[in-house]
Every structure is written in C-alpha cells, then in structure tokens.
C-alpha cells in the first residue's frame, strides 16, 4: 500500500510541475462545490413564485432575500464578480462584450483552486455563449454549451454529476432573464414567475442527482444558488432597487443555516454619465452583507479548506469577497449575535432550545416539516433564555425549527426519532 501511495504521489508531483495528466491523480477530494446560476431573478419575484425545491434547500441554508448588487447590473460584469471574487475594477468586465477583461490577473476561483489542487475536475455548463467563449484562464476542464431553455443544461449537468471525479460544477440557466426581457422583470408577471418555477424544478433535479452520486455519503458538497441581477420593466443595467435587490443561498455542512437581512452597502456601479463610481460603497456594510464577490471566495475556501489558506486574506490573490464558511470572522459574527442551540438532536420527543442572545425582543417559534408545512408556532416572551419543544405527537422524521425575530429568521434542522 505504501509503495502505491508513493507512486501516486510521484505522478501527482510531476503533474504539479506540468509534466502531464494521469488518471491515477484524479482521486477526487471529498469537498465539492455546485453552483447553480439563475440569470436575472429578482428577489421579490423569487419569493412570490412557488419554488418548493429552493424553499426546502433554504431551510438548511445560509441565505438572504435581502442583498444588494454592488457592481454593474449586467450579466457579464456580474458573473465575472461571482466567479472571480473581485469587482469590475479588477476583473475589468464592464459589459457583455467582455472587452478589457483581466482574467489573467483575476481568474475564476476554479483556476485559483487548481493552483493549490491541480487535479480538481471543474466543469461549466452554460446556455449563454459569452460565458463559454469570452472567459479565459478559468481553470475549467470542460465548458459545455447548451441550448436555451434549460432542459439540455439539466441533462448535461446530470451527466457531469454522475462522474465521481467531478469536484466543481457551475450550471448556468438563462431562461428567467430571457423571460424578463420578453415580458418584464416583475413579481406580478405570471410568465416571469413561471420561468422562476421552471428554474426551481431544475434545481430540484440537480439536488436529487447529487444525492444519488455513488460516493455521496463520503462527499461534502457546498451548494450555492445565485443570481446575477434583477430587472425593471424589460431591462436591467441601472441602479434601481429592482435591478439591485438580489438573493443568495448557500447550503452544506460548512455553513451555519441562517437568514441574513443586509443593509444596502451602495454600489460600485457606473453613473448616468458613463463614469464609473467607486466612492459610494460602505465597506463595513459590505462585510456584513452577502455580496457577489463572496461566492467565489466561499467556493474556493470550501475546495481548498485543508490547505489552511484563507482566500479572503491571501494577498497573492487580492480577492474582494469574504467566505461564508463558519470558521470565518465576518459571517460568523452575524451568526453569533443571533444563534441558538438545540439539544438533544436527534431526540425521541422533547427538544430544548437555548437562546444565546437573551436580550433580543419578542421572538416567534415555528416548526415546519420536510414539505415546508407549519406544524407548530409559539410566541417566545422577551427575556426567555431557554424553552422546550415537544414533538411527541408527530411522526419521526426531519423537521425545521425556525426562530423569527423581526426581519431575521434562523433555522435549524432537527431529527425526531422513534
Ligand atoms: Zn444576467
């Protein structure tokens, strides 16, 4: 065994030196990333649409419905920020032409991950040609062009997800944005909502396929579902609330489930005169708010976790985003101010909830089942430090315990056992 291990090491070190690729180095790591991109999905429309798969994912996610686009609300600049972890002033993309891009200096996070782990297998599937054709130095092993509409993207994603060597998949869906451009970006537009519901169904299919992976039990997937911008009327690209109000979902063992409501940090967007403005951003608020550049940093952090490198402070990379993984300062501080403990978990009947922030004002408790149905709700008097939740009358299974305090919602998964 030892000899074989040494041999593999040797081949892999050759690979590091650029000698060549070998299947024996493809032993894939357990930490993996799935990014599902839904182009042009307004936050209020997402909340308005019927999205059972995203709702179910949210119940175990760090997520926000109240985040703000801090860059240029156009697809090219936005996806470049999402995938590089830097704003347009670094990656250089200010339009869908991708003119003046600087991906050699500020590459996709997948490229950075491969600097640490050259054998990662990273695949991008996109309906939008620009993502496949205009981005370079991205570390992708394959960039697959699919037809508009989503079905072929999902079919290709299923093929990729069946590959046990896959480490990172970015699946991009364009249909919501196309519907917005053709019939308006508007939560009152039934066609726009239908497009979002279709995207939700694709998410459901991909998440199911993830769980069917032969090694799923030993894998640690971080799932990131993101949009690039909202829209107003038939367009986007400006600074309006409807174009800038966005959402993020991050699910996996490495994030603490919680809802984050963020204040608007402002934007690095361009002014009406066409001059780019970088002075209107409150960097402290940006640290407390999930923003586009966090996606790449969080994905990268998850993939290279055991290297000890903290991507957000690694000076060679000059990234702008922050990691949402629980061992990092910023997001963790948001969690610590609001978090609660549940024990025992699993339990046969009674769960004890201990509130870590007893100063908080009136809170409300909800318990939901796996299908999102509310099975219990209670007011929690202010000053309460702990209370019990008795589920002895319910069937064994997974439930979600939700604490609502004003606009903040915190969720923990609990297991009721026989
Ligand atoms: Zn877009």
């Amino acid at each position: 065994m030892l000899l074989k291990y040494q041999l593999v090491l040797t081949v892999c070190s050759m690979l590091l030196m650029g000698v060549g690729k070998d299947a024996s180095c493809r032993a894939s790591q357990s930490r993996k990333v799935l990014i599902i991109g839904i182009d042009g999905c307004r936050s209020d429309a997402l909340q308005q649409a019927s999205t059972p798969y995203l709702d179910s994912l949210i119940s175990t996610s760090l997520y926000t419905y109240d985040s703000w686009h801090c860059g240029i609300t156009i697809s090219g600049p936005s996806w470049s920020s999402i995938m590089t972890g830097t704003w347009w002033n670094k990656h250089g993309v200010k339009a869908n032409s991708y003119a003046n891009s600087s991906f050699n200096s500020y590459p996709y996070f997948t490229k950075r991950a491969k600097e640490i782990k050259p054998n990662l297998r990273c695949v991008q599937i996109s309906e939008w040609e620009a993502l496949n054709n205009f981005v370079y130095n991205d570390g992708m092993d394959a960039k697959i062009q699919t037809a508009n509409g989503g079905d072929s993207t999902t079919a290709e994603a299923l093929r990729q997800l069946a590959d046990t060597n896959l480490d990172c998949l970015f699946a991009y869906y364009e249909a919501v944005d196309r519907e917005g451009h053709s019939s308006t970006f508007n939560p009152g537009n039934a066609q726009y909502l239908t497009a979002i519901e279709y995207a939700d169904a694709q998410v459901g299919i991909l998440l199911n396929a993830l769980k069917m992976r032969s090694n799923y039990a030993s894998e640690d997937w971080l799932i990131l579902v993101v949009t690039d911008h909202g829209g107003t009327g038939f367009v986007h690209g400006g600074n309006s609330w409807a174009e800038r109000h966005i959402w993020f979902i991050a699910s996996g063992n490495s994030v603490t489930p919680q809802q984050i409501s963020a204040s608007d940090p402002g934007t690095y967007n361009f002014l009406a005169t066409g001059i780019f403005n970088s002075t209107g951003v409150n960097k402290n608020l940006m640290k407390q708010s999930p923003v586009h550049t966090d996606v790449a940093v969080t994905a990268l952090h998850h993939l290279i976790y055991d290297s000890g490198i903290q991507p957000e402070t690694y000076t060679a990379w000059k990234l702008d985003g922050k990691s949402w993984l629980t061992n990092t300062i910023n997001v963790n501080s948001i969690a610590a101010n609001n978090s609660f403990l549940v024990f025992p978990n699993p339990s046969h009947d009674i769960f004890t909830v201990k509130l870590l922030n007893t100063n908080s004002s009136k809170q409300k408790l909800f318990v939901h089942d796996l299908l999102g149905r509310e099975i219990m709700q209670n007011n929690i008097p202010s000053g309460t430090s702990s209370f019990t939740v008795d589920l002895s009358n319910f069937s064994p299974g997974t439930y979600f315990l939700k604490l609502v305090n004003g606009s903040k919602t915190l969720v923990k998964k609990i297991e009721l056992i026989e």
Side-chain angles (χ1 to χ4, degrees), residues 21-161:
K21 295 206 172 194
D22 187 283
S24 61
C25 306
R26 281 266 179 218
S28 94
Q29 71 163 34
S30 66
R31 280 182 171 249
K32 296 169 187 286
V33 170
L34 170 64
I35 299 184
I36 302 175
I38 302 175
D39 201 297
C41 185
R42 275 175 66 146
S43 182
D44 53 0
L46 177 67
Q47 293 171 73
Q48 181 71 28
S50 170
T51 54
Y53 299 104
L54 285 170
D55 293 351
S56 172
L57 186 65
I58 274 170
S59 62
T60 58
S61 294
L62 181 154
Y63 72 100
T64 180
Y65 285 129
D66 293 298
S67 189
W68 303 93
H69 198 305
C70 297
I72 304 164
T73 59
I74 295 173
S75 302
S78 304
W79 290 112
S80 299
S81 293
I82 290 166
M83 297 299 284
T84 66
T86 65
W87 297 111
W88 58 265
N89 58 326
K90 290 182 183 169
H91 61 63
V93 180
K94 304 181 189 76
N96 287 342
S97 67
Y98 281 73
N100 303 310
S101 59
S102 305
F103 293 122
N104 282 330
S105 303
Y106 298 97
Y108 272 27
F109 75 86
T110 32
K111 175 77 179 186
R112 291 306 193 194
K114 285 185 168 185
E115 288 177 20
I116 312 301
K117 300 189 172 190
N119 302 314
L120 293 177
R121 177 164 175 80
C122 305
V123 176
Q124 169 176 294
I125 305 167
S126 173
E127 295 164 29
W128 187 35
E129 295 85 348
L131 278 182
N132 289 329
N133 298 341
F134 296 159
V135 181
Y136 50 92
N137 196 36
D138 49 32
M140 292 292 176
D141 294 282
K143 295 202 276 192
I144 300 159
Q145 181 67 43
T146 47
N148 291 318
D151 287 345
S152 65
T153 302
T154 300
E156 187 55 50
L158 295 184
R159 263 193 290 280
Q160 296 300 327
L161 286 170

Side-chain angles (χ1 to χ4, degrees), residues 11-26:
V11 179
C12 287
S13 348
M14 282 163 63
L15 219 172
L16 272 166
M17 295 183 291
V19 172
K21 295 206 172 194
D22 187 283
S24 61
C25 306
R26 281 266 179 218

Side-chain angles (χ1 to χ4, degrees), residues 153-173:
T153 302
T154 300
E156 187 55 50
L158 295 184
R159 263 193 290 280
Q160 296 300 327
L161 286 170
D163 176 0
T164 52
N165 284 324
L166 180 71
D167 296 298
C168 180
L169 178 66
F170 173 36
Y172 164 94
Y173 290 90

